Structure formats: structure tokens, C-alpha cells
Amino acid sequence: MASETNETREKSLNFLEEIIEESIAKGETRVQTRFPPEPNGYLHIGHAKSICINFGLARKYGGKCNLRFDDTNPVKEDVEYVDSIKRDIQWLGFDWAVERYASDYFDQLYDWAIVLIKKGLAYVDDQTQEQIRENRGTVSVPGTPSPWRDRSVEENLDLFVRMKNGEFPDGAKVLRAKIDMASPNMNLRDPAIYRIVRAHHHRQGDKWCIYPLYDYAHPIQDALEGITHSLCSIEFENHRPLYDWVVDNIGFEHKPHQYEFARLNVTHTVMSKRYLRELVETKKVDGWDDPRMPTICGLRRRGYTPTAINEFVKKAGVAKAYSIVDIGLLEHCIRDELNTTAQRRVAVLHPIKVVITNYPEDKEETFELPNIPKNEEAGVRAVPFTRELYIDADDFAEVPPPKFFRMKPDGEVRLMGAYIVKCNEIIKDEQGNIVELHCTADLETGNGNPADGRKIKGTIHWVSAKYAIDATVRLYDYLFTLENVNDVPEGTNYLDYLNPNSLTELHNCKLEPALAEAKSGDKFQFVRTGYFCKDSKDEGVFNQIVGLKDSWAKEAKK
């Protein structure tokens, strides 16, 4: 039985867990990871995968995970993004062992660049960025060495110090690692490791005018922090030889190792910070936290929970092969959670007034409706009932189609939790629009069955016209019409597939009075409609989280 248990456990491990358990079996019991975001934008659902992997593995194996900001490019970085990243990580349920910044190491990184120069492993190049790019060659054609590649150590040291002292304009010179211009790995063809950039740094101010490149700085920081498993997305796989080259030639005793996993791609959205920033700056969306955005703050504002996001990442899996995950899986995870946790409330999104003509004008009563069906501990709430009500226009048909069991002329329907009513008269305005429906109620059927045993097939929701509150409800569709926005047809770009119907605002919706007490972020199921969240920025607004229909679950069962 023990061997079967172990076998089952092995099958349940992803490849990163297998790597860690193999190292633990060899006696390497310490697990130290890191999450190294660049503070140049807000985190998105793709980053959530990296967060869950790095922090989650450290937690699982009793290790630690550092938060390290890659602030080596001051042009696009800001404290706003630093704060948002920390807020998102903690909201997802994780905390870091140590908070670090690449800029903490700038002095050491500079000193080790001097070491590489003295070893003859780095040189100052006067070529422009365009010339360097042209001379890199191709996968099948070796690169052309820079005419400055064989400068003496003394000249390189002098020029690098002068770069640091600000004697040259931006872009005039770069420091390059001297590796192999004929390497089949393009990343080893003398990559740049320092460039001149005059920009105010959010932490260092104007101290520096040269900044290290990520591929140089990152492995050094991993070594200094004692990282045991440097986990990153698969696009860095070809950078691993450079990572190892830096660690080996600096001469660190502790040599961290890099492991790569497939990045998270989701249908009907983009994961590029550049694209997301463009959407914000061109006002295609209402900021980074627009509920249509795949950002963590956008998902939070829309009503997604940390639990659902973590479950989505878990179900999406950890592998090395590229794949694109159906956004329906994310919707399934939040729907599955809210089905058992979200209290029910009534909301009429397309109101049409109903007058119960045989109900006394001055009479009021309440009906008890369950907060969460099949959960007695959630209790019930009293919903007021009056002569005038609102129902949803979608629940009435003047000329009903076949098998239409909702309200129709001379047809009976159950008002949820209340009376059976029959539509007797349709009141229209001069333009022919329906303004009121006059009905009579079977007043003996208050939440009970008719005495004569007749069967009523349809049930619709309603709110009291007297006590209903007005609200704006936002309905959302996918931000992009194309399923795989990362692979657009030739001759187009991702903006060509923006969904013009991704947001629909419904004003003057009529909501159950209990929703007046809803607080920012509170989540509810609007019965027969979907799951909604009280908006965190705009008063009197509820955002649709997800509809009731779970198409993903049905497809998954096939």
C-alpha cells in the first residue's frame, strides 16, 4: 500500500516539484526562491502563475521566497507599480521573506563588471545599437566581431569608469560581455551588460547614469541571495547559458540554477505589459483596474477572489510545453466558489412595472427568501411585497414563442417565493412601448401551491417598486473577439480584435432593498442572472463577475 501511495504522489507532482524533491532526497534540504517583477506596470493573471509557483513551492517545502524588484530600467519604472505589486501579492495570500531591489546591488554589480573587464571578459563597444543588432548575425550566420572587441584591459577600464562618470551621451557606448560571436545561441554573442541611460531612478535618484542589463544583474542577485531554484518562464530558456556564464565567471561559490516553465496564456486576452499599457494610455479601457483587464487589480475589482485565481493556476497546470488556457476555466473556478458562498439577491436589470390590481393599495407584507439555497446556516431575509412591482422585461412576451413559461397575456406564472399571478392587461404609451402590466394574483398561493392542484411551470423574480433601489449594472464580455490574441492573422494587430461590446452599462436597474447595505467588494448572486460585485470605485454600481451558465464544465465532461 505504501508503494501505491508513493506512486500516486509521484504522478501528482509537477516537474518543478519533482526537481525539488530530487534535490531534497540528495540532502539539499534548503529551498529558496524569488519573484523578480519589473515595476513598470501592474501585475496580470500570467504573473499570478509565477507568484503561485515561486511562493507556493517555498511554502510547500518549508522554504522562503524573496520579492526582488528588477528596477534596472528607470525610464519606465515607478513607485506606483512597486506598491501595486506588493498589494497584489499579499492579496493573493502570500508574503515574502525579504524585500530586495536590483538597485540595492548597483555598487556590487559595477565592481563585478570591473572584475570581468580585468579578466578580459568584457569590453566597451562604441557601436550604435543598430550596428550591434546588424552585426549579431543570424541563427545560421555567425556574428561579426566589433572593431572595439580587442581593446586593451586598461582602455576598457578607463572608458567604463568614464561611462559611469557621465562623460559620454546616452547610447554612445555599451559594456559587452566577451563570449562567442559565432555561438549558435544568439544570447551568447557578446551581449550588452551595461548601457548609458540618464533618467531619474525611483530609489537611486540621479546617482547613476549607467545601468546593468537584466541578464547580467539577475544571476548575480540570485547568487548573493542564496537562491536554490531560480524559476522563470520558458522564454528565458535560451538565456540560461548566459545566466550560468555570469555566475561561473564572477566566481560565486554558491551557484544557483535556473529552471523554466511555460508561461500562462489565456484565450481572449493579452499578457504583454506593453499591450496592456497601450490599452490604458489610449483609453481603450478605464485604467489598469478596468474589470475587463487581466490585471490582478482588474480581476479584484471585477469580483474575482484569491482562492479562485489560485485554483485556476493549479488547474491550468505547470509544464514546459506551450499551451493556451480557456478563459472559461477561470470563470468556472470563480463560479464554483461563489455558488456556495455568495448570498442571493434579486436584481431586475430591464425593469417593467407590474401592478397587482386585486392587491390592496395600502397593504405590504414580506416573504422570506433563502440567502444561500441548501445552506440553512446562511439564513433567510425578508423581502417586501407591495401592489406595484418590477419584473424583468425578458420575462414577458406579448407574443410568446413555443414553450415560453414566463409571463404572457392570460398566462399564469409564479412570482419567486410569493404569489401566482396572471397577466390581464398590457398598458402602452403613444409610441406603442409597454409601460405597465396589469395582473391579478391568486392570493391563496403565497409561496404555496394552488388549492385546485393546477401546475405552474414558470417562476420569475421581482422587486417591490416602492422599496427597490436604483443602481447601474455593468455587464462584461471578453475584451477581444479573437480567441488567441497572441497569434493574430498576418496584416492585422491585436487592436483590430477589440470587442466593441465588451462593456454594457445598464442604468436605472431595480434592486432588492437589502443591496443598499452592500459594501465595496461584496459579492452576490443576482438570482437567475449571474454573479455580481459592488464596485470599489463608483458608487451605486455593480459589476458582473460571471454568468450562471458554465459552458466550460460541460465541455470538460465530454
Side-chain angles (χ1 to χ4, degrees), residues 73-189:
N73 183 7
V75 176
K76 296 181 179 179
E77 296 161 359
D78 196 274
V79 175
E80 172 192 354
Y81 301 131
V82 171
D83 292 341
S84 73
I85 289 169
K86 291 194 287 187
R87 184 167 57 248
D88 287 347
I89 293 171
Q90 291 176 323
W91 180 75
L92 284 171
F94 300 104
D95 208 348
W96 46 92
V98 177
E99 182 179 327
R100 289 284 185 264
Y101 296 79
S103 53
D104 293 336
Y105 304 98
F106 278 178
D107 288 303
Q108 292 164 289
L109 293 168
Y110 175 79
D111 290 341
W112 273 308
I114 295 291
V115 169
L116 291 178
I117 293 173
K118 288 181 177 179
K119 286 183 175 183
L121 296 176
Y123 63 96
V124 175
D125 193 352
D126 293 0
Q127 292 182 105
T128 65
Q129 186 176 2
E130 291 73 21
Q131 289 172 326
I132 292 174
R133 187 182 299 113
E134 290 173 2
N135 291 333
R136 285 187 75 199
T138 65
V139 175
S140 57
V141 178
T144 302
S146 165
W148 316 108
R149 195 174 194 267
D150 295 323
R151 274 176 161 152
S152 67
V153 169
E154 293 72 23
E155 186 179 6
N156 282 317
L157 286 172
D158 175 67
L159 289 172
F160 189 53
V161 171
R162 291 167 65 190
M163 285 172 61
K164 175 181 178 291
N165 293 338
E167 295 185 26
F168 307 112
D170 291 8
K173 299 178 188 297
V174 296
L175 183 68
R176 298 177 68 180
K178 185 187 286 188
I179 307 180
D180 183 2
M181 288 301 293
S183 172
N185 187 330
M186 303 291 284
N187 295 294
L188 296 180
R189 294 186 183 180

Side-chain angles (χ1 to χ4, degrees), residues 299-316:
L299 291 166
R300 179 166 61 243
R301 183 179 173 192
R302 183 155 175 180
Y304 277 82
T305 65
T307 307
I309 293 173
N310 278 271
E311 183 65 16
F312 167 66
V313 170
K314 179 181 177 181
K315 288 182 178 295

Side-chain angles (χ1 to χ4, degrees), residues 34-41 43 66-78 81-82 85 99-106 109 195 201-203 211-219 221-222 225 236 273:
R34 83 292 167 270
F35 176 61
E38 182 179 3
N40 65 344
L43 298 184
N66 291 351
L67 170 60
R68 185 202 308 142
F69 290 98
D70 172 36
D71 56 346
T72 56
N73 183 7
V75 176
K76 296 181 179 179
E77 296 161 359
D78 196 274
Y81 301 131
V82 171
I85 289 169
E99 182 179 327
R100 289 284 185 264
Y101 296 79
S103 53
D104 293 336
Y105 304 98
F106 278 178
L109 293 168
R195 78 282 200 201
H201 192 278
H202 71 104
R203 296 183 77 245
Y211 288 92
L213 275 296
Y214 176 84
D215 279 343
Y216 167 70
H218 182 65
Q221 294 154 13
D222 280 353
E225 294 178 13
F236 288 99
K273 275 188 185 178

